[in-house]
Structure formats: structure tokens, C-alpha cells
Amino acid sequence: MTDINEPVRTARTATGAAPKETAGIADEAQTADPALLDLAELLFFAYRDFTREPDKILDEFGFGRAHHRVLHFVNRRPGMRVADLLKILKITKQSLGRVLKQLIDEGFIVQEEGKLDRRERLLYPTDRGHELAARLAEPQLERVARALRASRRRGDAKIETFLYQMISEADRPHVERLLRTKLNMDHKQGEPQ
Amino acid sequence: MTDINEPVRTARTATGAAPKETAGIADEAQTADPALLDLAELLFFAYRDFTREPDKILDEFGFGRAHHRVLHFVNRRPGMRVADLLKILKITKQSLGRVLKQLIDEGFIVQEEGKLDRRERLLYPTDRGHELAARLAEPQLERVARALRASRRRGDAKIETFLYQMISEADRPHVERLLRTKLNMDHKQGEPQ
DNA sequence: AAAATAAGTCAACATGACTGACATAAATGA
DNA sequence: TCATTTATGTCAGTCATGTTGACTTATTTT
């Protein structure tokens, strides 16, 4: 142990001042169920690992995560308009414009003039785009499927279990240790470590 | 009903009886259960909205999401070393260094020399840091709690439901519509558009 | 004919990642 | 003891991706 901090209770603000329990303010967070914060952390870890494999593949193409998102949605919903993408991604037109242009220039997406409204530019994946989208999706689907299987295997239908299983296997022991070593634990149970 | 995807027939048995453990490689994504891709999309939307409120608060301080992560983990596990943070965040020392320095300079975190190993710099939140961490956590905890309540209310312990409820209420109708309108659906039913 | 809408563009800037090269202090071990 | 390893910090440069703000063009709507 002592991986992070030793006796959990010794946590103080290092300003010398005693912990004082209520630093006032949003005590919501302090009195809240620690399990909620655990879930928030698990979501962070799950998402952190969820994006790793695709990111690595994208690197080969000189693309980033933004390209992945655009390609994914266009691939899954061909004929989507630029405005639709903006609403989904919640980024600015300029931000989208940059990555979309690259995807078009490099032949992963094509535009087509709308038939009903010729102002619209409908987006479609090319074969190449479809292929890359599938390749990027593969590790993510595998990960989600694995996590669902593991959740069901454990019988508990807990969100916590699913998110934990979304973490890359190699990192799970680390996260597990982390979740056992934190502040606010002693509220519920005097779990020593 | 049909909070997320109503024609569940689309998704053969959510993660299906036969995901078949390591199915074919490349075409995995094409033949895979569409519900898995739905989950991937829901995770994206959930995370997108999960970070919005804190991001807005951080703006007031001239901080970004990176500061939030560092402050959160230091606050919840006081006495953490720099190396611990690096392992958690999986970023480079230089990246961490920049935001950590700002948090220290502006009085949200303090360092203390390790007693056992004087090379170590143990990190602690100041009162101010603790306060900000709590304020940042509050909307996220609220969101997670809400999603859990809604999940339980619906009785189905589905991950899908939880992630869907993690989306900001105002955006849920949009996402719901999106999830009903996508490719791979016509495998089962000829939904036109 | 005027106004609104969909898309695109230019420019400038901020954040937070990255690599690579080093520096310093302290602990460890041969 | 001296050499090596470890923990941390720093300088410098680059890249990806987000932001504002100001405009343009084409087309549809009013």
C-alpha cells in the first residue's frame, strides 16, 4: 500500500489548518454518496480507454479524434447535413470545417447537393471512408461487448461494473486500487485501506 | 416507453445471444449488433454533456478541463505524488506540469516534501482548492444521481438507459431521434429514413 | 425584392496534448 | 564511496482542435 496516500484520514489541507470537515460551500459534494464520485471517476477512466485504440489507428492517417467523430456519424447516417453534424458534435462550423475538408480531400467523405434544397450539402462516406469507420469501430465495439458480457456474467446489473469493465484490462488493477484508496470512504465504513 | 430505442427488435437481444466471442475482424463492425454502436454513441453523448457544466465554471478561473482532472484527483486523494497523477491521467509530465504549476501558483494546490522520500512532492488541495473541487463536482454528481434515479425508476437496469439519462435533458429528444434514424436498422426493417 | 438559411472561408488565438533534450536532488546498490 | 536510478522540473518547438468575429455565396422563404 502507500501507493497514493497512507492513512486516508490524515488528509489535510497542508496549509497546516486542521481538516475542519466543513470547508463550507457546496457541501453537497462532501455529503454526497461517495459512490457517485466513484461513478464519475469510472466514467473518466472508461472514456479514457475507450478512445485509445481508435486514436492509434487515426495516427496512421494523420487524423485525430475529431475526424473519427465526423466519419463515424456520416458513416452511420449517410446523407447527413453539415448542420446535423454541428448539432451532434456541438462544435463550431469552423472547427468542423477543418476536419471535414480533410476527410473530403483525402477521399473518405463526399458531398452531394441536396435535391430538395440545393443549399444543403449531404454527406456520404466513400468506400474508403466506410472501411476506415469500420476499422475504427471494431475495437470500440469489442470493448463494449466485452464489458456487457462481463457485467452479465457478474450478475449484478450495476453501471459501476460495466464502466469498470470498459477500462483496459491492464489498467483495471490500478483503478481498483485507486477506488479503494480515497477520501470520504470512512463515512460509510472504516475500511482501513 | 421507448425512451431510447423503441423497436428493440432492431437490436437482436442487446449484445445478442451470439456475439460469438471474437468474431471476424474487419467486418465485425458491419455485422455487429447495432445496439453496441448505439452504446458507443450514447457514451459519446453522455461524456459530452458530463463535462459541460464544469467547463463553464472553469472558464471563470481561466482554467480548462485538464485543471479539473488534476484538482479532482488531488482533492479526493490528498498526498498523491506527481507520478501517481501521471499514471491516472496518462499524459506526459510536461503536460501535467503546465496545469499543475498554474494550480499551485494560484493557490489551489500545495506541494509538500515527502517525509520518507524527500524527492517526492506530495500534493494537497488548499481550502480554496477543496472548495473549487466541490463546486466542480456538484453538477456532475447531480447528473449521475439523476441518471441513476431515472434508471431505477424505469426498472430496467440497462446501461443504455443510464447513459441516455446522463445526457442533458434538453438534448435527449434530439439524441433519441438520432438513435431511431440510422444505418443498420434496415437489416431488420425497411425504415425509409 | 428582401430576409433568412445553409454552407464555406479568412484570420487570430487558446488549450492541452506531444517529442526531445536536459537539470537537479535524493535514494539505491554494487 | 561512487555510479546509477528515480522523482521531479524545465526549455523549446510542434500539432490537433477548440474558440471569436467578420464576411461571402448560393438558395430558399416570406
Side-chain angles (χ1 to χ4, degrees), chain B residues 160-173:
Chain B
E160 226 166 316
T161 306
F162 171 76
L163 290 177
Y164 178 72
Q165 296 291 339
M166 284 286 287
I167 298 168
S168 294
E169 192 166 15
D171 290 309
R172 275 178 228 155

Side-chain angles (χ1 to χ4, degrees), chain B residues 64-67 69 90-92 94-95 98 116-119:
Chain B
R65 205 176 292 178
H67 300 85
R69 294 196 278 247
K90 287 196 185 167
I91 58 177
T92 57
Q94 295 91 323
S95 261
R98 198 187 324 112
L116 283 145
D117 186 334
R118 286 171 42 230
R119 287 173 305 181

Side-chain angles (χ1 to χ4, degrees), chain A residues 2-192:
Chain A
T2 81
D3 228 344
I4 292 174
N5 56 357
E6 40 325 3
V8 178
R9 198 57 201 189
T10 59
R12 86 177 50 194
T13 34
T15 50
K20 210 161 130 198
E21 189 47 31
T22 72
I25 298 295
D27 35 344
E28 177 99 31
Q30 293 180 56
T31 57
D33 189 345
L36 292 180
L37 259 190
D38 284 357
L39 274 177
E41 292 188 354
L42 282 168
L43 186 57
F44 163 73
F45 289 117
Y47 201 79
R48 179 197 67 177
D49 290 357
F50 181 63
T51 53
R52 286 191 87 76
E53 283 127 326
D55 281 355
K56 207 175 147 201
I57 298 170
L58 289 156
D59 249 9
E60 293 173 30
F61 295 82
F63 289 155
R65 205 175 292 177
H67 301 83
H68 184 186
R69 294 196 279 246
V70 171
L71 182 58
H72 166 84
F73 284 107
V74 168
N75 183 61
R76 199 162 192 220
R77 293 173 188 81
M80 184 169 261
R81 294 168 309 155
V82 167
D84 297 323
L85 271 176
L86 291 178
K87 195 172 175 189
I88 288 174
L89 303 176
K90 288 198 187 167
I91 58 177
T92 58
K93 195 173 30 162
Q94 295 90 325
S95 255
L96 173 57
R98 200 185 315 115
V99 299
L100 183 54
K101 189 176 186 308
Q102 290 175 297
L103 285 166
I104 291 169
D105 287 351
E106 306 193 31
F108 293 89
I109 287 180
V110 286
Q111 292 177 307
E112 218 173 79
E113 198 172 70
K115 279 162 206 135
L116 282 144
D117 186 335
R118 285 168 44 230
R119 288 172 305 181
E120 293 176 350
R121 295 285 177 278
L122 308 186
L123 305 170
Y124 297 89
T126 61
D127 284 351
R128 224 181 144 204
H130 179 75
E131 208 176 293
L132 178 55
R135 198 177 148 205
L136 292 169
E138 196 267 332
Q140 298 197 314
L141 294 181
E142 194 54 50
R143 183 181 294 268
V144 172
R146 233 191 302 117
L148 283 177
R149 281 199 301 272
S151 281
R152 284 208 316 279
R153 204 181 308 120
R154 289 207 58 215
D156 65 1
K158 292 233 173 73
I159 310 301
E160 221 168 320
T161 306
F162 171 77
L163 289 177
Y164 179 72
Q165 297 291 339
M166 284 287 287
I167 298 168
S168 293
E169 192 167 14
D171 289 310
R172 275 179 228 154
H174 175 232
V175 172
E176 209 211 314
R177 232 179 307 127
L178 261 180
L179 290 178
R180 277 190 284 106
T181 311
K182 75 212 174 197
L183 223 63
N184 275 357
M185 272 198 19
D186 39 11
H187 283 348
K188 310 288 174 191
Q189 55 197 36
E191 197 138 359

